[in-house]
């Protein structure tokens, strides 16, 4: 099943966790090593308990750490904009739209780090869209890995939705996301060493 089909069939819990996971994997752009600003949102994914309050708190924390205002096309700005569009209501239609946006942003961010100069490939967005629909696409290794993580997280969450193992499914999603965050942080560190 394609990424877009998994998003279309997902319930609120799966959509919220998938979106938070996408942003979580992009945290190296926004927060230092060991920082966990999205942890309160992970805690709300199971039933949506206190979602709006925790979302507001996370936004405040990340806004306070924002510093200089980057360009709108800057990867960190794309991630912040995605968090800004998160719905306060824990309802499937709004969460589905947000999960779709977060998926796309995470893939674009990873695509920037696949590119040697950190820029955008001319056909990058087209390749990402094709891959999200399940069509074969010549993706860079970071984008391919991110796509695979997104699909796997959606599958894990769908398999455990409404079961006694639903908490374990969220834990597995968090673990996969943490692994993806480590990969992006390592790539960013390597790029800084090469340039410096």
């Amino acid at each position: 099943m394609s990424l877009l089909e998994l998003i279309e069939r997902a319930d609120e819990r799966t959509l919220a966790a998938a979106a938070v996971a996408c942003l979580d994997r992009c945290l190296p752009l926004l927060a230092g090593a060991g920082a966990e600003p999205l942890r309160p949102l992970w805690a709300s994914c199971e039933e949506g308990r206190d979602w709006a309050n925790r979302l507001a708190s996370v936004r405040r924390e990340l806004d306070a750490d924002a510093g200089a205002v980057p360009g709108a096309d800057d990867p960190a700005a794309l991630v912040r904009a995605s968090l800004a569009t998160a719905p306060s209501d824990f309802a499937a239609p709004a969460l589905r739209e947000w999960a779709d946006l977060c998926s796309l942003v995470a893939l674009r961010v990873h695509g920037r780090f696949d590119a040697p100069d950190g820029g955008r490939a001319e056909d990058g967005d087209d390749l990402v869209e094709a891959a999200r629909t399940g069509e074969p696409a010549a993706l860079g290794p970071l984008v391919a890995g991110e796509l695979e993580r997104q699909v796997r997280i959606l599958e894990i969450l769908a398999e455990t939705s409404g079961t006694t193992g639903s908490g374990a499914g969220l834990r597995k999603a968090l673990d996969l996301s943490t692994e993806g965050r480590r990969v992006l942080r390592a790539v960013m560190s390597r790029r800084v060493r090469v340039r410096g």
Side-chain angles (χ1 to χ4, degrees):
M1 193 175 305
S2 76
L3 175 67
L4 292 181
E5 289 171 324
L6 288 166
I7 290 172
E8 187 58 37
R9 294 177 181 202
D11 63 7
E12 292 91 343
R13 168 187 165 272
T14 300
L15 293 166
V20 172
C22 286
L23 297 182
D24 194 76
R25 287 188 299 281
C26 296
L27 274 180
L29 297 166
L30 306 177
E36 297 281 348
L38 299 180
R39 201 49 85 124
L41 288 182
W42 279 105
S44 285
C45 286
E46 184 65 41
E47 297 170 352
R49 188 176 308 123
D50 208 23
W51 174 261
N53 290 332
R54 289 178 177 177
L55 178 61
S57 175
V58 167
R59 285 178 178 152
R60 279 191 303 274
E61 181 180 345
L62 288 174
D63 285 347
D65 296 339
V69 179
D73 200 36
D74 177 75
L78 293 172
V79 175
R80 284 185 197 288
S82 298
L83 184 60
T85 64
S88 295
D89 293 332
F90 199 79
L95 288 168
R96 184 167 288 107
E97 188 175 320
W98 185 52
D100 182 63
L101 171 70
C102 291
S103 163
L104 192 55
V105 166
L107 290 165
R108 285 180 178 159
V109 164
H110 283 75
R112 295 288 181 87
F113 289 96
D114 264 338
D117 61 356
R120 292 174 66 173
E122 284 186 30
D123 60 350
D125 288 346
D126 293 338
L127 290 174
V128 164
E129 283 299 337
R132 285 173 17 113
T133 63
E135 293 177 32
L139 302 172
L142 284 175
V143 175
E146 172 61 16
L147 179 67
E148 186 178 318
R149 272 185 286 281
Q150 288 185 22
V151 168
R152 187 67 194 123
I153 284 171
L154 283 162
E155 289 172 343
I156 288 168
L157 293 168
E159 289 167 6
T160 59
S161 185
T163 68
T164 55
S166 64
L170 279 172
R171 181 70 219 175
K172 286 181 185 177
L174 177 59
D175 290 345
L176 273 172
S177 188
T178 301
E179 171 194 316
R181 189 178 343 138
R182 285 188 196 119
V183 169
L184 185 59
R185 190 174 306 283
V187 169
M188 290 172 64
S189 294
R190 198 169 24 250
R191 185 168 283 186
V192 167
R193 282 193 308 272
V194 168
R195 289 182 178 169

